[in-house]
Each structure stands twice: as structure tokens, then as C-alpha cells.
Amino acid sequence: MSPPLDDGIDGGTSPRAGAGNGAVGGIRFDLKLIADMVEPGSRVLDVGCGDGALLAYLARHKGVDGRGIELSMDGVHRCVTQGLSVIQGDAETDLKDYPAEAFDYVILSQTLQAMREPRTVLQSLTRIGRRAIVSVPNFGYWRIRLQLLLTGRMPVTEKLGYQWWETPNIHFCTIKDLVSLTEEMGLTIERCLIVNRAGRITGHAHSGFANLLGEQGVFLLRRT
Amino acid sequence: MPASNPAVALPADAAALPGYRVTLGVDRPMRLDSGAELGPFQVAYQTYGTLNADRSNAVLVCHALTGDHYVLDQHPITGKPGWWEMLVGPGRPVDTDRYFVICSNVIGGCMGSTGPKEIDPATGRPYGLGFPVITIGDMVRAQKLLIDHLGIEKLFCVIGGSMGGMQVLQWAVAYPESVFAAVPIATAARHSAQNIAFHEVGRQAIMADPDWRGGNYLLEDTRPHRGLAVARMAAHITYLSEPALHRKFGRNLQNRQSVTYGFDADFQVESYLRHQGITFVERFDANSYLYITRAMDYFDLAADYGGGTLSNAFRVDGRGTPVRFCLASFTSDWLFPTPESRAIVHALNAVAANVSFVEIRTDKGHDAFLLDEPEFHQVIRGFLEGCAEHRGLTARRQPR
């Protein structure tokens, strides 16, 4: 896969946590990275699907049979109104209902760090889906490290623009942390894209440089 | 309180009502869940729009407890506009320029379909309590015969709220191959203990009326209007919400400056409820009310089709149901509250079915599904358009 590098400025107003790196072909760059990992014609569950931008893109460009779960009523209304199959619900309580391998892919974009029990969620994702696609902001990114080091205060960045007392992001991790959790859980990382601030792929999951230079990571996971 | 008036005619003489009426179960009577048989029997129905060449654009609308098949017509008795004009009609979410809409009066009803007030051919007298107890399953079985009669193999959509939603669920479970999309609104997969309790209050009110005459009031030329009106008043409260009642009436007095220290309708809300009761008895048969509330009480999809587990009811040949679902509930509905819909959604998720679910914010209570709720209407429109695309239905015809 060769991700487009000439991404434009993000003009979208998606409610998804953590803005991406510009919009490509109608969807945000980070969502496009996820979309490119999905095989055409597959069955997809998008957890925390926001306004349905990714689901709509997957349906239109990849002929995907897509479903979504979204917490916010506004998001659900926007999805169902455009003909997407989306339910209003909470991923942490609703995922347990789905049978094993009900989907080819289960997607969790920029939301793992906001979950009460990320490990349990990760387990559900890889149980329900033959594969899970998970994208996370990297708390090991050098600007974040530098902010903490120099100012001695919790980092607030463009992408993670919350004060510590108001942030929904309660379980931050670094790329390295996530890689080690997947190992501990016996998950296989089939693919991993580490993306820097300019939206360029910077390296692989196990590289220390990636953990320093990458602003976010996109993981394609499956049970071993 | 309405006075009993024996001179009042039957609520609706079936033959005189507008719309279509077909006799079904002629060759072979329809077997009911109770084990009894019914047939031949009549089903009254209305249609709107045009059936397309490949008969793929039919939408079956299922009416609620006291509803009927006059979805878009002026009501032949009350003169009120059709009960779902907000949602169904030319250019509406259920667009009659695009879909062929069918709605039939349920069996057990009193607006033209065979029910307790119709003549039992075996005796030449009204069925009364001799009418067999019917279920939601029986209502849908009769609708299936009607759909077969109309030559429609697969409905594009079955849609309905409240008891109509129960019928939608029943359709999806009993005839999954005959339904492309299902839209159960403000409903439940089983009637709750609280709802059975409310129904029992209504039935007892009817049966406590001396004019009910053990169900034989038609023969004895009386009508249990007082009992039926009380039943309606009690039920009507459950269709609203406390905030809606407060907004509409508060503690306002009815045409007076102060309370009268008596039992006249001092408060506007009392006057309103009495009016609801009085107008209801003009259009509804008391025995029908008994039969239809009973049908709702007996409804339990998980018990009847899932061996106690709802998700099993949605399995077809070991796989998840192919029917596409869209459920909607309303935040202030305490008769069929959101958890009831969510239980259905969870069961559908458990078989990885195709399901959308939206909870609509409103203070209008259970009745919201009949009212002007733009967000709700947008959702239904969007869902149906998505389904139409998958079903290969052509785009909407030019507006008239």
C-alpha cells in the first residue's frame, strides 16, 4: 500500500476523538489509512463510528457490508439518516453481545485511550472480528515527551487538546505500550503504520524511532 | 362520564365502511395459536400508491391497539385525518409516490375485519365472547394471507409502532423470507408485567360496566360505554408523559376561577381525559378492546420462537436473520421504554443481524411515534432510502 502523501487540510467536522492529518478523497487521512487495510466486499463493524464518514466511504468505494456503534445520539442520527446501519450504544457494554468472528474487520479509531477497560475492549474486538484495526494517538511522541519534560505539566497538543481534568482520554499509551500489550494478549500485529505529524509513514511498530517520531499508530491485529 | 345510550348504533357497520374488504380462509380455515380455527373471515384494508411491475415496492403498515387501516384517509366515523399522515404519504418518509402502502384492520378489530362484533356465520349472531382469543401471531397470519392474496411474495418493508411494532417483529420472525426490511417502533419483544397490569385495569373497567352484559351487549342492545371510556382514560395516560401533561395542562382549571369542592372536572386534565373517553366509545367496540389487549399481553417472541432466548428467535437456518432492521424508541416513553428496544437490538447483534437503532429525544411520551417528530421522520426516511438502494428500487418518481 502506498498512502497518499499530499494530503490537504482537514475541512471535516467529524466528532471522532482526535482529529486526523487532513482529508483525502472526502475522508480524513487517518481514516483513509484504515480504509486501505480493509479488503473489498468484507463485513465491517466500526466501533465509535462518529458521523459515519468511514462507513460511508467503505460502502461506496469498497462495497463493504458495514455496521456501526456510536455513543452520541447526534452521530447515530446522522448515520442512519444517510442509510448506514448504526446503533446507538456503548462499545464497552454492547460489544459482548456479538458472536465470535461475526465480522471480517472490527475498527476502533482513536478511541481505545478513552475506554474504561482497553484490554477487555481489545479482546472483544479480536473476538468479534477476524481482524481488528485499531488506531491510537502515541503518547511517546517527542513533542509530548518534551512538553512534560520542559514544562512539568500534562501535555496539551493540537491533536490531544484537553486539559488533564477534562480529557475523555483516560488510558493513554505509547506505541511501545500497545505493542507490548498485544504481545501479552497473544495478538499478532499483521501490519502497523506509524504516522508522523505531516502524515508520513515513519517506521515499523518495534522501532524506537517510530515511538519517538510517530504521532499516531494504526494496527492491523488478529488472534494468533 | 358518558351516559349509556342503548340507541347508539354499532361502532361502524362493516359493509358501509370505505376501503377494501376480502374474505380469506375460505378453502381452509386459519388455525389460531389457541388451537381454534377461524374461517372464512374478512379482512378490511386500504392501499395507497401503486404496486410496481415486479411487486417489490410494497410496504405493510401495522396499526396499534386502537388504530385501524385508515392511515391516510379521513376517518369514516370521527372525521379526523389519517392517523399516520405525518409519516406516510406523497413525499413523506414512507413515500406513496414510491412505495405501495398496505394497511389492514387486525382480526379481532372492529373496523371491518372479523372480530367479536361481527356476525358468526355458525350462529347468525354477533360472536361476542364466542370469538376465539387471538394473538399477535394470528393477526400477522391473517395479514400474510392478505399479502398472498395481493400476489406479493416479499414485502419491501413492514413498519409499525407499539402493537404495530409487535406485528413487525412477528413478521420478521415468522416470515423472514417475506420481509426485506422491518421497522419496529416504540415496542417490545414481550409485553411487560406493568403493561399487562394496565390492560387488566382497562378490561376490568369494561367488564364491571353492567351494560357489558357478560359480553352480550349487542344482542341486548346496550353498550358498556362507561367502562370502555374509563379503560380508554386509564390507557391514554400511559401514552403521554408527565412533562407533556404538565406542559399541556399543568394544574390549570377548566372554565372556572377556583376549585368547586366537588367531583366535577375542575382541572383541564380531567376534562381532557373525559373527552378522550367519550369520543373513543363512538368508534371502538368494547369486546374488541378486550381481545386486542389480550393479544398484546400474550406476546412473547423469546418464549414462542427462541426457547426463552430472544436472539434464537432471530436465527434463520442457523444464521442471523436476513431482514434489515431499524428500531426507534423515544426518551419519554415509559410504556415501551428504550431498554425494551435495546433488548431487541442486543438480540439482533447476537446473531450479527443488520440493525440500526435510534433513541429520539422528546417529551411527548409513547404517542411520539404518531406525532410531528422531525428527527424521527428523517431517520425513517434515511433508513428506507438506504434499503431501497439495496433492494434495487428506482429513485422516487417526480413529485406530483
Side-chain angles (χ1 to χ4, degrees):
Chain A
M1 186 203 73
S2 55
L5 302 177
D6 55 339
D7 53 298
I9 301 302
D10 188 357
T13 53
S14 167
R16 263 186 202 271
N21 294 2
V24 181
I27 60 166
R28 249 166 39 205
F29 175 68
D30 60 321
L31 296 182
K32 179 69 163 58
L33 289 181
I34 292 172
D36 287 342
M37 287 186 178
V38 173
E39 291 291 327
S42 52
R43 285 162 58 88
V44 173
L45 175 67
D46 187 359
V47 180
C49 60
D51 64 358
L54 178 59
L55 279 175
Y57 179 91
L58 287 172
R60 195 164 53 245
H61 297 284
K62 295 222 161 181
V64 152
D65 178 11
R67 318 282 165 77
I69 303 179
E70 170 59 30
L71 192 58
S72 84
M73 281 199 216
D74 290 340
V76 177
H77 290 165
R78 278 202 288 271
C79 290
V80 180
T81 300
Q82 57 180 308
L84 299 170
S85 299
V86 171
I87 64 165
Q88 199 269 326
D90 180 348
E92 290 198 83
T93 54
D94 290 358
L95 286 180
K96 65 171 172 25
D97 295 325
Y98 290 90
E101 304 203 348
F103 297 94
D104 297 312
Y105 300 92
V106 180
I107 295 169
L108 185 71
S109 158
Q110 306 283 333
T111 315
L112 189 65
Q113 76 283 355
M115 297 290 174
R116 288 187 298 278
E117 296 182 45
R119 186 190 160 116
T120 312
V121 169
L122 219 46
Q123 232 150 17
S124 293
L125 299 180
T126 48
R127 179 183 66 83
I128 299 166
R130 283 176 223 287
R131 289 183 171 72
I133 304 176
V134 177
S135 73
V136 290
N138 176 23
F139 216 64
Y141 178 50
W142 68 271
R143 282 172 186 268
I144 291 180
R145 296 193 201 192
L146 205 59
Q147 258 195 46
L148 184 59
L149 182 70
L150 295 182
T151 68
R153 305 191 53 182
M154 284 303 284
V156 177
T157 68
E158 194 184 317
K159 300 278 159 48
L160 300 167
Y162 296 101
Q163 295 293 334
W164 65 272
W165 45 267
E166 63 174 1
T167 181
N169 301 319
I170 52 175
H171 283 119
F172 272 126
C173 66
T174 67
I175 300 289
K176 227 174 177 172
D177 287 329
L178 188 59
V179 168
S180 108
L181 179 61
T182 59
E183 282 166 0
E184 195 193 312
M185 292 174 64
L187 301 176
T188 301
I189 300 177
E190 283 201 347
R191 267 164 88 183
C192 172
L193 301 174
I194 309 296
V195 187
N196 70 10
R197 201 181 192 199
R200 289 190 174 80
I201 310 297
T202 62
H204 59 85
H206 296 273
S207 130
F209 282 115
N211 195 31
L212 191 63
L213 298 176
E215 195 172 27
Q216 57 176 313
V218 185
F219 293 80
L220 180 63
L221 305 170
R222 66 170 167 79
R223 268 163 299 139
T224 306
Chain B
M1 203 58 43
S4 172
N5 182 0
V8 172
L10 285 184
D13 177 11
L17 291 169
Y20 305 102
R21 202 152 175 252
V22 61
T23 303
L24 300 168
V26 177
D27 301 336
R28 178 154 62 99
M30 185 172 75
R31 187 158 181 89
L32 304 174
D33 283 333
S34 66
E37 289 187 329
L38 184 66
F41 63 94
Q42 272 81 42
V43 170
Y45 65 101
Q46 273 293 33
T47 70
Y48 310 92
T50 312
L51 189 61
N52 63 7
D54 56 1
R55 297 169 183 248
S56 61
N57 69 335
V59 174
L60 179 69
V61 171
C62 300
H63 69 72
L65 168 57
T66 65
D68 49 47
H69 47 300
Y70 300 111
V71 180
L72 293 188
D73 309 83
Q74 191 183 42
H75 196 275
I77 297 172
T78 64
K80 286 186 179 164
W83 60 270
W84 226 1
E85 281 190 353
M86 290 282 176
L87 194 77
V88 184
R92 298 280 182 181
V94 182
D95 189 347
T96 50
D97 285 339
R98 183 174 188 182
Y99 308 120
F100 177 61
V101 174
I102 308 157
C103 184
S104 68
N105 186 213
V106 295
I107 56 162
C110 52
M111 288 298 287
S113 291
T114 295
K117 84 170 170 64
E118 302 302 324
I119 302 297
D120 179 355
T123 64
R125 303 194 309 189
Y127 280 100
L129 293 195
F131 193 74
V133 168
I134 42 117
T135 63
I136 300 291
D138 295 329
M139 293 175 183
V140 167
R141 211 163 280 137
Q143 288 164 359
K144 178 69 165 69
L145 290 176
L146 171 66
I147 298 306
D148 291 346
H149 163 78
L150 294 174
I152 295 162
E153 210 167 289
K154 185 167 194 160
L155 292 163
F156 167 62
C157 176
V158 186
I159 184 171
S162 196
M163 185 184 85
M166 290 178 169
Q167 294 164 61
V168 173
L169 293 170
Q170 177 74 27
W171 261 99
V173 166
Y175 307 107
E177 71 291 342
S178 303
V179 179
F180 184 76
V183 186
I185 301 157
T187 193
R190 73 201 183 347
H191 216 214
S192 69
Q194 178 173 272
N195 289 0
I196 295 170
F198 278 122
H199 276 175
E200 177 59 3
V201 170
R203 286 190 293 262
Q204 287 299 331
I206 291 167
M207 293 189 283
D209 187 330
D211 287 333
W212 181 60
R213 306 283 168 99
N216 288 326
Y217 51 87
L218 292 178
L219 282 175
E220 303 191 13
D221 209 19
T222 60
R223 302 288 179 274
H225 279 173
R226 286 169 299 181
L228 183 59
V230 171
R232 176 62 170 181
M233 287 165 74
H236 197 81
I237 301 167
T238 69
Y239 305 151
L240 307 173
S241 70
E242 199 278 329
L245 278 175
H246 181 76
R247 176 164 46 76
K248 215 166 173 178
F249 307 109
R251 291 180 52 83
N252 298 342
L253 299 178
Q254 179 69 25
N255 302 331
R256 62 200 67 187
Q257 299 304 314
S258 58
V259 298
T260 59
Y261 297 98
F263 298 104
D264 197 13
D266 277 352
F267 294 99
Q268 282 180 5
V269 66
E270 294 174 288
S271 170
Y272 168 77
L273 274 187
R274 289 183 186 192
H275 174 77
Q276 291 298 328
I278 292 165
T279 50
F280 182 62
V281 302
E282 289 167 13
R283 69 174 178 90
F284 216 83
D285 175 59
N287 282 339
S288 267
Y289 197 85
L290 302 182
Y291 276 89
I292 300 177
T293 54
R294 205 64 181 141
M296 290 178 76
D297 293 351
Y298 283 166
F299 188 63
D300 187 345
L301 267 190
D304 292 348
Y305 287 87
T309 306
L310 185 56
S311 57
N312 288 341
F314 295 115
R315 282 184 216 281
V316 179
D317 302 330
R319 297 171 57 98
T321 173
V323 179
R324 302 168 76 91
F325 281 84
C326 179
L327 289 95
S329 68
F330 301 92
T331 50
S332 54
D333 182 352
W334 56 280
L335 193 60
F336 290 91
T338 293
E340 298 280 8
S341 289
R342 214 177 270 287
I344 300 166
V345 171
H346 287 176
L348 287 165
N349 283 345
V351 297
N354 193 316
V355 53
S356 294
F357 165 58
V358 182
E359 186 187 33
I360 305 289
R361 265 174 298 232
T362 174
D363 75 350
K364 291 178 190 153
H366 182 58
D367 262 355
F369 82 90
L370 298 167
L371 302 173
D372 186 20
E373 290 285 347
E375 222 170 5
F376 165 55
H377 297 162
Q378 282 161 18
V379 163
I380 300 298
R381 185 189 294 276
F383 173 75
L384 287 180
E385 277 174 9
C387 287
E389 208 172 298
H390 283 280
R391 184 79 172 116
L393 294 182
T394 47
R396 179 171 180 259
R397 293 209 310 260
Q398 287 305 304
R400 285 187 275 213

